[in-house]
């Protein structure tokens, strides 16, 4: 059956290449999705950290406020004693203590202001992280939906292509089909290669004149001696071998 001509092998090769491209797309979608999900997980973790940091800062404000309250209570207490004091040196001592306490309270008030500024800052950080997480979550959901929708069509296309490949394989003689199958199993879409300018386009090694004759006659499968790919003539090199 001298039907393994250049054009039929070229068609077969194209079918294998299209099937490979489809399989690649089918597997790349879930990989992309997994990577986006990882990025989302990282952002969610960052959001949790930001929320925790905000919570800690709010606790710090409360702590400073409690501290200030106790300082104030102590001062009020002292000021009450001031009226009852008779001795001048005691009076002076309490006044000194009150002045010292006042400077401590000023310091605490400064710390409260500082902590409140940090609360504002961290509230903004949490908000930004929430916006980002929301955006990424929507993106991941849209991507998952898109991949799922495309996958259905791609799987259907792949089934069609696989059928077409089985049909196209009829151009290969029965007794050569085992070797063809082994080569396809090993190399997938790389099982075939065109010959361009007398060289295998897969490995660029020149084919022998005898192989060239077989290729032109299309009387048997020709395998590259260097890389083992099944060869066929490139269209532009031998347009006369093209089947109608
Ligand atoms: Zn080769």
């Amino acid at each position: 059956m001298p039907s393994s001509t250049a054009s039929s092998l070229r068609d077969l090769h194209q079918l294998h290449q299209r099937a490979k491209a489809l399989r690649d797309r089918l597997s790349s979608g879930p990989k992309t999705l997994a990577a986006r999900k990882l990025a989302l997980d990282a952002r969610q973790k960052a959001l949790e950290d930001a929320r925790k940091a905000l919570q800690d800062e709010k606790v710090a404000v409360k702590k400073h406020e409690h501290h200030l309250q106790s300082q104030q209570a102590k001062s009020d207490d002292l000021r009450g004693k001031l009226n009852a004091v008779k001795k001048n040196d005691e009076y002076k001592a309490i006044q000194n203590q009150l002045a010292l306490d006042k400077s401590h309270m000023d310091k605490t008030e400064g710390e409260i202001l500082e902590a409140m500024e940090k609360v504002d800052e961290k509230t903004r950080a949490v908000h930004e992280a929430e916006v980002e997480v929301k955006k990424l979550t929507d993106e991941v959901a849209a991507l998952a939906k898109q991949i799922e929708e495309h996958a259905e069509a791609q799987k259907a296309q792949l089934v069609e292509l696989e059928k077409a490949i089985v049909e196209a394989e009829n151009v290969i003689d029965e007794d050569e089909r085992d070797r063809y199958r082994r080569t396809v199993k090993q190399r997938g879409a790389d099982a075939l290669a065109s010959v361009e300018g007398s060289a295998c386009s897969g490995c660029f090694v020149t084919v022998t004149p005898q192989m060239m004759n077989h290729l032109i006659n299309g009387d048997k499968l020709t395998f590259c001696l260097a890389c083992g790919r099944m060869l066929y003539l490139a269209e532009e090199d031998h347009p006369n071998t093209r089947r109608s």
Side-chain angles (χ1 to χ4, degrees):
M1 194 170 75
S3 53
S4 49
T5 60
S7 83
S8 50
L9 286 178
R10 192 183 304 125
D11 290 347
L12 182 60
H13 193 195
Q14 274 173 8
L15 288 172
H16 277 297
Q17 285 170 325
R18 283 169 56 200
K20 179 187 186 295
L22 262 181
R23 282 189 201 103
D24 286 350
R25 255 179 283 160
L26 270 166
S27 69
S28 76
K31 277 182 207 156
T32 308
L33 183 63
R36 300 303 290 156
K37 276 182 177 165
L38 271 184
L40 174 59
D41 286 349
R43 293 309 301 153
Q44 264 164 344
K45 173 78 175 59
L47 173 58
E48 277 159 33
D49 290 348
R51 280 178 177 152
K52 173 82 172 60
L54 173 59
Q55 199 48 45
D56 289 350
E57 207 55 58
K58 283 179 175 171
V59 168
V61 170
K62 282 265 174 289
K63 232 169 102 184
H64 289 311
E65 280 173 350
H66 284 146
H67 187 207
L68 184 61
Q69 275 166 13
S70 72
Q71 283 174 319
Q72 270 163 345
K74 198 178 140 215
S75 276
D76 290 347
D77 202 34
L78 261 184
R79 220 171 278 115
K81 280 180 187 163
L82 202 55
N83 300 325
V85 168
K86 303 277 184 304
K87 286 178 188 166
N88 199 36
D89 55 345
E90 267 183 46
Y91 190 87
K92 271 244 143 46
I94 291 177
Q95 271 196 322
N96 284 345
Q97 186 59 50
L98 279 171
L100 191 65
D101 289 351
K102 173 78 170 64
S103 77
H104 286 162
M105 283 189 282
D106 287 349
K107 186 168 168 279
T108 306
E109 274 170 356
E111 284 166 347
I112 290 172
L113 281 178
E114 216 173 284
M116 282 166 90
E117 271 169 27
K118 281 188 190 160
V119 165
D120 285 347
E121 226 171 79
K122 285 172 182 178
T123 301
R124 278 195 297 275
V126 165
H127 179 68
E128 277 164 25
E130 279 170 348
V131 168
E132 209 178 332
V133 164
K134 168 82 172 68
K135 188 168 157 262
L136 263 177
T137 304
D138 291 349
E139 275 176 20
V140 164
L143 185 65
K145 188 164 170 270
Q146 190 201 52
I147 286 170
E148 200 189 307
E149 282 168 4
H150 285 187
E152 267 177 51
Q154 284 165 346
K155 277 177 194 159
Q157 268 178 289
L158 193 57
V159 168
E160 288 306 309
L161 269 175
E162 278 161 356
K163 267 191 233 161
I165 286 171
V166 170
E167 225 163 89
E169 282 168 351
N170 286 329
V171 300
I172 293 162
D173 273 350
E174 208 61 69
D175 56 347
E176 289 179 310
R177 219 168 283 173
D178 271 351
R179 190 172 175 192
Y180 157 82
R181 291 232 166 85
R182 276 202 308 277
T183 313
V184 168
K185 202 175 167 195
Q186 278 171 6
R187 318 192 65 129
D190 263 347
L192 292 112
S194 61
V195 170
E196 285 163 37
S198 313
C200 164
S201 66
C203 70
F204 307 109
V205 170
T206 307
V207 301
T208 66
Q210 195 195 6
M211 284 160 78
M212 214 50 196
N213 279 336
H214 286 307
L215 285 166
I216 291 165
N217 296 334
D219 51 1
K220 61 180 280 218
L221 277 188
T222 307
F223 292 82
C224 174
L225 297 175
C227 72
R229 286 178 174 90
M230 287 169 276
L231 300 174
Y232 60 88
L233 290 175
E235 203 165 8
E236 55 272 25
D237 282 4
H238 296 269
N240 57 325
T241 60
R242 194 177 185 175
R243 281 206 305 173
S244 55

